Amino acid sequence: MEFRCLLFVLISSSVVLITQSDTTTKDPDWSDIVVTMVGREVTLPCVDWPLTGSVSINWKMKSPSVDHWKLVLSANERQQFSGAASKASMRLVDSNFQETGDFSLLFIPKMEDKGRYSCLIIQQQKKLREKIILLAVLTVSIFPSATLPQHSTLRLMAEVSPASAISEVTWLSPGGTPLRLARRSGGGVAKLPQIRLTDQGVYICQVYPRGNSSSPMFPFTVDLRVDGMNVASFTNISHSDQISMASLTQTPLTLACPPMRGDYVLLYWKPPDSRNINTTTLVYGYDRWRDRTEQSKTHAQLSLDGPLSTPKEGFFSFLLSPGLNDGGLYMCEVFLNDNVFSQRTLLSILQVKARHSPTALVLTCQYTERSQVKRVVWSHQNQSRTLKWSSSGPGRLSTEVPLSPTQDTAGNYTCTMLLRNGQAVKAVYTVKLPPKDNTESTTSISLPHPESNSASLLPFLSASLLLVPLVAAVAGVLLWRQKDISRRGIEQSLSHYSGEVENIYENPEDIRQVMDSCLLCISIL
């Protein structure tokens, strides 16, 4: 028990000691932040009410890398002297600070002058007020230079030290549009690829301080000029091995780009089977910094949706659903600053079309970018059957199927295209047997047409007229029987109430007489 108590006391003491140590080494929070650039005159504000009596001011400075304060400047109403941390450019804004209450410090800083500054006001040998100001230094870099050749990539780099002094850095274009920024600790980089004359002007870097600050934002301007007489040339180009591939029409395929992160991508295309080397055209361009896309109408089925593509992060690949004439040479160029990475893809496209001639079904295999095609053949699913084919021109191979397919001629017809690198692609066309004839008999009822000869209706009408007397005779017999029944009167009523039912046809002989009369009339008809 005593051991447990001792252990608890030791642990508690350790915790207290560690906490006190952290507290004593932690710098006090600043009451103001000032951001400036190297070589630009800056004022550290320290303003109070006008004071009377004996008043003095002490400016001290502590760098981020050290843990103690150094005297910068000390002054009273009679004299002023500099301390160890003083610079030649340092001075008080107002030498009559006692009457104006302006104790601000002015100087031209260097990068090593960043850090915390203490403005200590002493009255009557007593500390009256102290203000801690954090001075942060901004470094702005422009690449390649402040005057750029056209089509070069502008890089605006901003970095604030110490980084803890700021919450955000932004860039605005001459038109006031925010530029996309790749953020880093204490700043970031904004880029504008393919600079044009319309991009020149004044760019603004905005620095937003963190914590207490008398200014919510510090703006800095950069004047950029574009040399309209010069165009940037990219000589540092890295080429990857050319890719050879084949595909069917309307089958999505991936056009690869170099796997390096880039600022923008350009995709060029040379039409298939073209002998003119000057037919290369730009079909797609994307600038991730401006989020701007340029696309040719001839390749509307092209998109930056490849499986490895994250365009806004700088990784590119294309998805293409090609038509027959979309084969050819594709050149994907990824630009990063002044470097270019290139990937070429030679693409052959295959498709099968069918048409009817007077005697046969003609199957034609069409293919483009023949320069890398080694062989194209037709085959039937019955491998023992040999097909005959013919060519009506370059990139066309046809075979014929009789118009009335049989068990031997129906089935799958395959056109196979083999590239020189061994890759093969196949297009299949299926010829089906004709449906079997329906031999089942059907029964139909025909009615006389209203416009037929009226003479054909005479026998039918005559027979109908003869049936009238017959129906009258039958009705007479039935009425006579009913009259006979009614004469029975009370007997019928009694039999009804006793549960018996009188049948008017209870005499079979009467029924036979009526039926004989009907049959006689029918035979006469």
Side-chain angles (χ1 to χ4, degrees):
M1 184 65 182
E2 294 178 355
F3 174 77
R4 291 180 181 177
C5 293
L6 180 62
L7 181 62
F8 175 78
V9 171
L10 289 174
I11 294 176
S12 302
S13 302
S14 300
V15 172
V16 171
L17 290 173
I18 291 173
T19 305
Q20 291 178 348
S21 176
D22 288 345
T23 303
T24 55
T25 59
K26 182 179 179 180
D27 290 336
D29 293 337
W30 55 81
S31 56
D32 201 356
I33 296 178
V34 174
V35 181
T36 188
M37 296 181 68
V38 172
R40 183 174 295 187
E41 192 175 73
V42 65
T43 298
L44 302 184
C46 185
V47 180
D48 206 308
W49 296 103
L51 301 175
T52 60
S54 175
V55 178
S56 63
I57 176 70
N58 289 336
W59 276 98
K60 296 181 292 183
M61 182 260 186
K62 183 169 68 173
S63 300
S65 56
V66 299
D67 200 24
H68 59 274
W69 294 90
K70 295 180 180 180
L71 181 65
V72 173
L73 182 147
S74 180
N76 55 32
E77 65 272 14
R78 297 183 301 274
Q79 62 181 348
Q80 173 180 319
F81 62 91
S82 301
S86 179
K87 304 292 180 180
S89 62
M90 286 183 173
R91 62 181 178 86
L92 292 174
V93 170
D94 191 349
S95 58
N96 194 22
F97 55 83
Q98 183 178 2
E99 296 181 2
T100 62
D102 189 354
F103 301 91
S104 303
L105 181 68
L106 182 147
F107 65 103
I108 300 174
K110 297 180 180 179
M111 180 57 72
E112 60 265 24
D113 294 328
K114 62 188 177 183
R116 286 172 169 79
Y117 287 78
S118 167
C119 173
L120 178 61
I121 303 173
I122 301 174
Q123 185 181 34
Q124 304 294 342
Q125 304 298 320
K126 294 181 180 180
K127 177 180 176 181
L128 178 65
R129 191 172 291 106
E130 183 178 19
K131 181 180 181 180
I132 304 297
I133 303 170
L134 176 61
L135 177 63
V137 178
L138 168 68
T139 302
V140 171
S141 304
I142 304 175
F143 294 98
S145 63
T147 301
L148 302 173
Q150 294 186 82
H151 299 166
S152 59
T153 298
L154 169 64
R155 284 157 278 170
L156 297 171
M157 305 177 66
E159 183 178 1
V160 178
S161 183
S164 59
I166 65 163
S167 60
E168 186 181 13
V169 173
T170 63
W171 281 98
L172 298 180
S173 71
T177 303
L179 304 182
R180 184 179 180 186
L181 195 71
R183 305 190 185 281
R184 299 175 180 175
S185 176
V189 179
K191 292 186 180 183
L192 288 179
Q194 296 180 293
I195 279 290
R196 304 170 185 175
L197 285 172
T198 55
D199 294 319
Q200 68 180 357
V202 177
Y203 289 78
I204 302 175
C205 176
Q206 297 178 322
V207 179
Y208 293 87
R210 185 195 306 275
N212 300 322
S213 177
S214 58
S215 178
M217 182 269 293
F218 297 89
F220 300 90
T221 60
V222 174
D223 193 6
L224 178 70
R225 297 298 169 191
V226 178
D227 187 354
M229 302 300 295
N230 293 320
V231 178
S233 59
F234 298 91
T235 57
N236 188 12
I237 304 177
S238 301
H239 294 278
S240 301
D241 294 337
Q242 180 171 295
I243 299 173
S244 294
M245 62 187 303
S247 176
L248 300 177
T249 56
Q250 304 307 317
T251 300
L253 60 91
T254 300
L255 293 175
C257 291
M260 294 75 178
R261 183 194 296 269
D263 299 320
Y264 65 102
V265 61
L266 300 177
L267 183 66
Y268 294 91
W269 173 64
K270 182 180 178 182
D273 308 310
S274 176
R275 297 181 180 180
N276 188 352
I277 60 174
N278 296 322
T279 56
T280 301
T281 58
L282 178 66
V283 294
Y284 203 103
Y286 177 72
D287 177 356
R288 77 180 184 97
W289 294 97
R290 293 183 175 93
D291 195 20
R292 184 172 64 192
T293 300
E294 298 178 6
Q295 185 171 6
S296 171
K297 294 181 180 179
T298 60
H299 282 69
Q301 70 282 13
L302 186 68
S303 65
L304 261 176
D305 296 326
L308 301 178
S309 186
T310 52
K312 292 188 176 181
E313 300 301 322
F315 296 99
F316 313 105
S317 65
F318 290 90
L319 194 66
L320 175 66
S321 296
L324 179 64
N325 295 321
D326 291 330
L329 180 63
Y330 288 86
M331 292 160 283
C332 180
E333 296 183 349
V334 175
F335 292 76
L336 177 63
N337 299 331
D338 301 324
N339 303 311
V340 184
F341 305 92
S342 179
Q343 175 67 69
R344 296 189 171 201
T345 301
L346 192 60
L347 176 63
S348 295
I349 303 296
L350 175 69
Q351 77 171 7
V352 168
K353 283 194 171 182
R355 65 178 180 85
H356 286 84
S357 73
T359 59
L361 175 66
V362 181
L363 303 179
T364 301
C365 188
Q366 298 174 288
Y367 55 98
T368 56
E369 194 51 59
R370 303 185 303 274
S371 62
Q372 64 172 349
V373 177
K374 181 178 181 180
R375 184 172 63 251
V376 177
V377 295
W378 274 107
S379 61
H380 187 256
Q381 67 181 39
N382 184 1
Q383 297 181 0
S384 61
R385 183 177 170 221
T386 302
L387 298 180
K388 295 181 180 180
W389 59 75
S390 61
S391 177
S392 58
R396 298 174 65 90
L397 193 68
S398 300
T399 187
E400 295 186 355
V401 183
L403 283 181
S404 299
T406 63
Q407 290 287 350
D408 294 332
T409 60
N412 293 334
Y413 287 77
T414 303
C415 178
T416 303
M417 179 174 66
L418 181 65
L419 302 187
R420 299 184 188 278
N421 65 353
Q423 182 182 356
V425 63
K426 299 180 180 181
V428 179
Y429 188 92
T430 302
V431 176
K432 298 181 180 180
L433 288 171
K436 295 181 179 180
D437 293 336
N438 191 355
T439 58
E440 295 180 0
S441 61
T442 58
T443 303
S444 61
I445 300 177
S446 299
L447 297 177
H449 196 276
E451 297 180 358
S452 62
N453 193 336
S454 59
S456 61
L457 297 177
L458 291 176
F460 175 77
L461 294 175
S462 300
S464 300
L465 292 174
L466 291 175
L467 284 174
V468 174
L470 174 62
V471 174
V474 173
V477 172
L478 295 177
L479 290 174
W480 175 80
R481 289 291 302 156
Q482 179 66 27
K483 184 178 180 181
D484 182 63
I485 294 172
S486 62
R487 283 197 300 263
R488 299 182 186 182
I490 299 173
E491 293 181 3
Q492 182 181 6
S493 300
L494 292 175
S495 64
H496 172 71
Y497 287 107
S498 63
E500 297 177 0
V501 179
E502 179 71 18
N503 189 351
I504 62 174
Y505 299 114
E506 63 182 356
N507 190 346
E509 185 63 28
D510 294 340
I511 297 175
R512 277 195 298 271
Q513 290 177 3
V514 173
M515 292 301 299
D516 290 343
S517 300
C518 291
L519 291 175
L520 177 62
C521 294
I522 294 174
S523 64
I524 295 174
L525 292 174

